[in-house]
Amino acid sequence: MSDFSKLAINQFTTLHQWSLPQAIEGYARHGVHAIGIVRDKLHEVGVAAARQSLRDHQMKVTSHCVGGLLTDSDPQRFQANLQDTRRAIDEAAELGAECLVFVAGGLPEGSKDLPAARVRCLEGLADVLPYAAQAGVTLALEPLHPMICAFRSCLSTLSQANDWIEELDAGPELGIVVDVYHVWWDPNLEHELQRAAGRIVSFHVCDWLMNTTDLRLDRGMMGDGVIDIGRIRRLVEATGYAGYREVEIFSERNWWQRDPDEVVSITKARYLSDVLGQP
């Protein structure tokens, strides 16, 4: 029998088709009992209702998305984003999420000072880490592809993520998300994964389309693109990571237009063939 015990589906995969309760019920109906939660969808129903739905369907929360975005040069907006990240930490704690995905943030409007943006993010991260530790929540740094550095994340490589953890001398309250979409191209990937051993707290999969039309919102289903997902999975798991493999697909032109039950069925099939390498 096919084993889906370590398959998780991030709610982004069916973002436009299902509300959070619908996604929880739908994934569970397909035998998938782990979900990555999107904050906007959580706020539509509230934490209490979400927790009840999770309990009713025996659903594990693998990730809560997202906190961070701590690069703003305006002091008031910077403090507002810090406070929002603290709220996200509280939500992750209430949901029992394995981690809160932390996205650094890009360049402030009108700025070209990338080093300053990184300094601000590190300052903000240092500020919220004790709060996360007290709440029992792991912040998971997610390096994003360099092509979206300007508008989404000044943290672009696994090397940077490893450096930040070491610079902050962080404990278990800070880890790393490895998303194949963002790291597959890195010539230092194998070395940096080895360096990240013990720090990887979440592993996300999808595919990079050769003819992609949008750098964020045109991801492919596993097997439709150019990423050797099986190889990266093996490298990640060789570090000792034994957690969920979380499917996360942003897809305006394709998968967000499809019937969500069809999306989940195809996800399960591709998980077996292109993530696990089963015939």
Side-chain angles (χ1 to χ4, degrees):
M1 178 179 289
S2 300
D3 184 2
F4 296 105
S5 61
K6 289 188 177 181
L7 170 61
I9 301 179
N10 191 290
Q11 201 182 355
F12 276 119
T13 305
T14 55
L15 184 69
H16 293 333
Q17 300 101 313
W18 277 340
S19 67
L20 177 54
Q22 288 172 331
I24 292 169
E25 186 279 329
Y27 299 165
R29 178 162 33 84
H30 284 271
V32 178
H33 288 277
I35 186 173
I37 289 182
V38 176
R39 290 188 71 204
D40 287 348
K41 292 292 190 178
L42 174 69
H43 296 164
E44 290 175 359
V45 300
V47 173
R51 289 179 62 185
Q52 185 61 55
S53 184
L54 291 164
R55 285 194 295 267
D56 289 346
H57 294 89
Q58 299 180 312
M59 186 70 70
K60 172 74 175 177
V61 180
T62 50
S63 66
H64 191 39
C65 307
V66 297
L69 306 176
L70 299 178
T71 56
D72 209 298
S73 54
D74 177 87
Q76 288 187 326
R77 287 196 293 266
F78 182 75
Q79 288 299 322
N81 288 338
L82 276 175
Q83 187 57 32
D84 187 60
T85 296
R86 294 187 189 102
R87 285 193 293 269
I89 289 168
D90 291 340
E91 293 163 1
E94 291 185 73
L95 295 168
E98 292 189 341
C99 68
L100 171 65
V101 175
F102 183 98
V103 173
L107 286 171
E109 186 176 355
S111 174
K112 297 182 180 181
D113 194 342
L114 184 57
R118 288 174 173 148
V119 168
R120 275 192 300 277
C121 187
L122 270 171
E123 290 173 349
L125 186 56
D127 186 289
V128 297
L129 272 178
Y131 191 87
Q134 186 175 17
V137 171
T138 298
L139 299 183
L141 298 176
E142 183 173 20
L144 304 188
H145 195 284
M147 291 288 281
I148 56 176
C149 179
F151 66 89
R152 191 62 176 169
S153 176
C154 61
L155 178 67
S156 302
T157 65
L158 275 173
S159 175
Q160 281 181 286
N162 280 317
D163 288 347
W164 283 18
I165 290 176
E166 290 169 9
E167 184 171 343
L168 293 168
D169 193 24
E173 70 275 10
L174 188 61
I176 293 174
V177 181
V178 176
D179 186 325
V180 299
Y181 191 76
H182 296 299
V183 304
W184 70 274
W185 59 273
D186 190 342
N188 297 315
L189 178 60
E190 185 168 358
H191 170 74
E192 291 299 332
L193 286 174
Q194 292 170 353
R195 187 179 163 204
R199 298 171 177 166
I200 300 171
V201 296
S202 192
F203 176 53
H204 293 187
V205 297
C206 62
D207 218 332
W208 183 287
L209 301 175
M210 180 69 80
N211 62 339
T212 189
T213 60
D214 188 285
L215 297 173
R216 283 190 68 225
L217 305 179
D218 190 38
R219 297 187 181 198
M221 179 66 69
M222 298 82 70
D224 286 347
V226 299
I227 302 177
D228 188 344
I229 300 169
R231 171 181 175 268
I232 298 176
R233 176 189 62 78
R234 291 189 294 273
L235 290 173
V236 167
E237 293 175 359
T239 70
Y241 178 79
Y244 289 91
R245 301 116 178 184
E246 184 170 327
V247 176
E248 183 185 54
I249 301 174
F250 298 64
S251 179
E252 280 191 333
R253 68 166 170 157
N254 189 356
W255 299 102
W256 287 347
Q257 309 300 322
R258 307 271 285 266
D259 176 83
D261 285 298
E262 178 192 21
V263 174
V264 176
S265 293
I266 294 172
T267 293
K268 291 173 62 181
R270 298 293 184 85
Y271 171 78
L272 294 177
S273 62
D274 292 276
V275 179
L276 300 187
Q278 296 181 2

